[in-house]
Amino acid sequence: MIVFITGASAGFGAAMARTFVKNGHQVVLAARRKDRLEALAAELGESALPIAMDVTDKASIEEALSMLPQSWRQIDVLINNAGLALNTKPAHEVPLADWNTMIDTNVKGLVTMTHALLPSMVERGSGLVINLGSVAGHYPYPGGNVYGATKAFVEQFTLNLRADLVGTGVRATNLAPGLCGGTEFSNVRLKGDDAAAAKVYEGTQPLTAEDIAATAYWIATLPPHVNVNLIELMPTCQGFSPFNIKRA
């Protein structure tokens, strides 16, 4: 199968690329950081095709898809992995720019990519869209504000895709991880404060990018009549958020 992964230059995306290639599949590596893509493609060999692309830019997506060699154009699996969280401050203290960046990437980027590839999947009568959600889309927590809202959008959008895609042979899944270490997620969220990012995982055994990659691969290799609507993962060290109560 041919798998198109956004945000493939690091974290979940890179781990998923390695997993699919290792198991004999072709992977289009799409992300903004061309140098990282090329390094990953060099590691993975001819089964990986690096393409510099920004999901927040529709013209960039269109150009990237137009550059695909003919033999790479039948995308069987789209993994909408590109996404980010910014800031952990309460809503009234977060810069509007941070909210807009999350919406542009996690929501607009995801739907633009899906809109670009979905029609050809429906026309062929097969295909799979895996959207990377989060437990933050199900359970609110202080500082989650717009990040959690974007992931709630991912869940509802995925379910609505399923409603539209009944009988087409095209599947859609929301893959929603909890606490996951070994990626750039917290470093990006905390604006490069590596010490603060490390504290997020201090004393825990979080999920790994490889855990998420294995899950995505399992979803993609199920029989074509099976659709995983939602799969939520947490490490055993994580539970559900307590109510946030301010005491005098």
Side-chain angles (χ1 to χ4, degrees), residues 11 23 40 46 69-70 94 106 109 127 178 218 225 228-229:
N23 285 282
L40 181 58
E46 293 183 356
Q70 199 62 40
V94 179
N106 303 355
W218 173 74
H225 69 284
V228 178
N229 300 328

Side-chain angles (χ1 to χ4, degrees), residues 225-242:
H225 69 284
V226 178
N227 191 95
V228 178
N229 300 328
L230 162 69
I231 186 162
E232 180 183 289
L233 298 86
M234 283 183 175
T236 55
C237 66
Q238 185 179 28
F240 300 98
S241 303

Side-chain angles (χ1 to χ4, degrees), residues 3 8 13 16-17 32 43 46 60 67 70 138 149 156 169 180-181 184 210 215 228 233-234:
V3 184
M16 289 187 286
R32 292 175 301 173
E43 172 195 331
E46 293 183 356
S60 175
M67 290 170 58
Q70 199 62 40
H138 306 153
Q156 193 63 22
C180 190
E184 299 176 336
E210 289 71 29
T215 306
V228 178
L233 298 86
M234 283 183 175

Side-chain angles (χ1 to χ4, degrees), residues 5-19 31 33 36 40 81 83 132 180-185 208-213:
I5 303 176
T6 66
S9 61
F12 295 168
M16 289 187 286
R18 291 185 177 101
T19 297
R33 293 178 290 189
R36 290 201 179 195
L40 181 58
N81 169 68
L132 262 292
C180 190
T183 74
E184 299 176 336
F185 178 82
T208 67
E210 289 71 29
D211 295 329
I212 307 309

Side-chain angles (χ1 to χ4, degrees), residues 7-239:
S9 61
F12 295 168
M16 289 187 286
R18 291 185 177 101
T19 297
F20 278 96
V21 168
K22 181 181 71 175
N23 285 282
H25 304 288
Q26 295 170 264
V27 177
V28 180
L29 309 170
R32 292 175 301 173
R33 293 178 290 189
K34 188 176 181 181
D35 56 336
R36 290 201 179 195
L37 290 179
E38 290 176 345
L40 181 58
E43 172 195 331
L44 298 178
E46 293 183 356
S47 293
L49 178 67
I51 291 193
M53 189 192 78
D54 183 352
V55 298
T56 68
D57 182 343
K58 183 173 180 285
S60 175
I61 291 173
E62 291 172 347
E63 182 181 3
L65 294 177
S66 73
M67 290 170 58
L68 289 176
Q70 199 62 40
S71 61
W72 285 78
R73 293 195 173 192
Q74 185 173 308
I75 306 300
D76 299 293
V77 181
L78 166 63
I79 303 182
N80 282 312
N81 169 68
L84 78 167
L86 289 173
N87 229 305
T88 55
K89 292 180 179 178
H92 56 284
E93 296 179 14
V94 179
L96 180 59
D98 285 356
W99 283 3
N100 283 330
T101 298
M102 288 186 280
I103 292 167
D104 287 344
T105 308
N106 303 355
V107 175
K108 292 182 180 179
L110 182 144
V111 300
T112 305
M113 274 305 310
T114 304
H115 192 267
L117 293 180
L118 193 61
S120 60
M121 291 181 175
V122 172
E123 187 178 344
R124 292 196 311 271
S126 67
L128 168 64
V129 178
I130 298 178
N131 293 323
L132 262 292
S134 169
V135 296
H138 306 153
Y139 316 111
Y141 60 88
N145 44 74
V146 165
Y147 175 68
T150 64
K151 294 304 183 178
F153 175 91
V154 170
E155 176 169 355
Q156 193 63 22
F157 177 63
T158 307
L159 291 175
N160 277 284
L161 281 179
R162 283 292 308 127
D164 287 343
L165 294 171
V166 170
T168 65
V170 181
R171 300 177 290 164
T173 297
N174 175 24
L175 171 51
L179 185 71
C180 190
T183 74
E184 299 176 336
F185 178 82
S186 289
N187 304 74
V188 171
R189 185 172 205 171
L190 298 169
K191 308 289 181 74
D193 188 338
D194 293 341
K199 283 189 176 297
V200 173
Y201 310 101
E202 198 171 78
T204 73
Q205 184 177 353
L207 299 174
T208 67
E210 289 71 29
D211 295 329
I212 307 309
T215 306
Y217 184 76
W218 173 74
I219 293 166
T221 52
L222 287 169
H225 69 284
V226 178
N227 191 95
V228 178
N229 300 328
L230 162 69
I231 186 162
E232 180 183 289
L233 298 86
M234 283 183 175
T236 55
C237 66
Q238 185 179 28

